[in-house]
Amino acid sequence: MSFELPSNLLPNEASPEWLNKGDNAWQMTAATMVGLQSVPGLVILYGSIVKKKWAINSCFMALFAFAAVLVCWVGWGYQMSFGSDPFLPILGRPGFASLRASYLVEKAFTGKLPNATMVFFQFVFAAITLILIAGALLGRMNFYAWMVFVPVWLTCSYTVGAYSIWCPTGWLAKKGIIDYSGGYVIHLSSGIAGAGLLWMGWTGFNGGDPYMASRDASLAVLNTHLCAATSLLTWLMLDILFFEKPSVIGATQGMITGLVCITPAAGVVQGWAAIIMGLLSGSIPWFTMMVVHKKVSLLKEIDDTMAVFHTHAVAGSLGGFLTGLFAEPRLNRIFYDVTDGWQHYIGLIYGLKMGLPRAGLRQIGIQMLGILFVVVWNVVVTSLICIAIRVVIPLRLSDEELEIGDEEVHGESAYALWGDGEKFENSKRNSAHGFDEFSVKEGSNFR
């Protein structure tokens, strides 16, 4: 009995045999959802949670990073992070293949997708990493220094973490590190309408990482929201218990720590483990932020506007460790698509249950090695980048800029419409204004 495919499913030049239209459609959708986490998600969140005088600066730092990362990523960043030509054990060879149409329409290194889809999907992850870093610098960093920092840090720091952990030829990937969606590469590195977009956008963040519309993706999405909700409620209860006030900002922080914590484990742990991770991600970062931060002199010196150290570095490290504890071997086989040699993807709990304690301890060791590598590399490289930039451009805003805010830095004020009064008409620093630069002719409507 012969069977013929519908005409719209027949392979052709635009849709070759290796392309899965459903997977490609989901991957592009997931990428768009992650992009919405950044623009407008984090743009709105930053602009609404800081003081009014920093609303424009905060939004603009995020918007600039999104645009700058895209150009650098397509130019050379993707090849350094996921290119097929190894340069070092921690880095791919820089190249401009991502600018060639012949490369972009070919099959990607994994999944049934074209390279163009993979480049875009991985771009939104790179972009949100820099935007999360911006959260620690809002109302602090010189915008011109930020413009230099973004492309340099992406090139020298992010690409190394992405290649080492996510690229199949990376040294940590070969050792068998488990990082489902970027708990190490993104959140450990980066250390209310916007919050809602951030939460819902995480569906694409974790659900898109199997590179197909699979049952593993469904599990990842459910675990993501389960952990985030549990973490939010845990943080909220702790605020009520100790401060006697339900804080919406605290609930938002709890939501974020839950999302960050589950990210390396989303599709490789069971639902009960996601709930435990939510309880821990809602309590441990709360404790480091509310108690430890106020007692440790070193932490007091950290100038972190949005508490990124606690919500991303602490929660990301916690998630990496708990992944090594709760990772379920069968789910790992589904995600990594392996049948032989999968023994190094065994969480400690299952290693003890299966009589393979050494395999479980080995996985914990690999997870901790990944944390150590990302922390040390980022501390060293970020410090060197900041020292180099400081030679040419002041890193920190001047006292006058810190005092005045957006009006001094950008020549604009948030929530002020054109023609709203003296602030607009007297601005001397905005090239788009300039009304005080020329004389108004007699009889003109501009007075």
Side-chain angles (χ1 to χ4, degrees), residues 14-15 18-32 104 106 108 111-118 120-121 211-213:
S15 181
W18 52 260
L19 177 66
N20 186 304
K21 292 183 178 180
D23 289 347
N24 194 45
W26 164 241
Q27 207 65 34
M28 294 294 288
T29 302
T32 302
L104 293 173
E106 292 301 316
K112 298 178 180 180
L113 317 164
N115 281 315
T117 299
M118 189 64 69
F120 180 62
F121 181 75
Y211 303 126
M212 63 182 72

Side-chain angles (χ1 to χ4, degrees), residues 249-439:
I249 293 178
T252 301
Q253 301 283 36
M255 175 204 76
I256 293 172
T257 55
L259 293 169
V260 170
C261 183
I262 194 63
T263 292
V268 297
V269 298
Q270 299 196 41
W272 59 264
I275 291 176
I276 294 175
M277 293 179 75
L279 291 170
L280 294 174
S281 64
S283 55
I284 293 178
W286 181 92
F287 181 75
T288 64
M289 183 187 299
M290 301 300 180
V291 180
V292 178
H293 191 100
K294 298 175 181 178
K295 294 185 176 181
V296 178
S297 57
L298 179 61
L299 292 177
K300 290 180 180 178
E301 298 298 319
I302 298 177
D303 193 2
D304 184 355
T305 310
M306 298 287 288
V308 173
F309 173 78
H310 300 283
T311 58
H312 292 274
V314 173
S317 299
L318 177 65
F321 172 78
L322 293 176
T323 300
L325 196 63
F326 296 129
E328 213 265 27
R330 183 175 58 88
L331 295 176
N332 275 296
R333 292 202 297 275
I334 294 173
F335 176 60
Y336 289 104
D337 193 24
V338 292
T339 54
D340 298 323
W342 56 267
Q343 287 80 2
H344 58 286
Y345 294 120
I346 298 178
L348 179 57
I349 286 180
Y350 293 93
L352 295 174
K353 181 180 178 181
M354 299 165 62
L356 298 171
R358 293 185 64 182
L361 289 170
R362 181 179 183 274
Q363 191 63 56
I364 288 286
I366 293 172
Q367 300 300 113
M368 298 306 293
L369 177 63
I371 292 172
L372 180 64
F373 172 72
V374 172
V375 169
V376 171
W377 181 266
N378 278 279
V379 167
V380 172
V381 172
T382 303
S383 298
L384 291 175
I385 291 172
C386 289
I387 291 171
I389 293 175
R390 190 169 59 184
V391 173
V392 183
I393 306 171
L395 285 176
R396 191 173 176 85
L397 293 167
S398 66
D399 291 340
E400 183 180 5
E401 290 171 326
L402 287 171
E403 177 67 26
I404 299 174
D406 289 335
E407 180 68 21
E408 181 67 19
V409 177
H410 299 288
E412 297 170 318
S413 296
Y415 320 121
L417 301 176
W418 282 12
D420 224 11
E422 292 184 357
K423 264 190 179 177
F424 168 73
E425 294 179 356
N426 293 342
S427 175
K428 297 179 180 179
R429 299 182 181 274
N430 191 326
S431 60
H433 293 174
F435 283 124
D436 56 337
E437 299 282 329
F438 60 91
S439 58

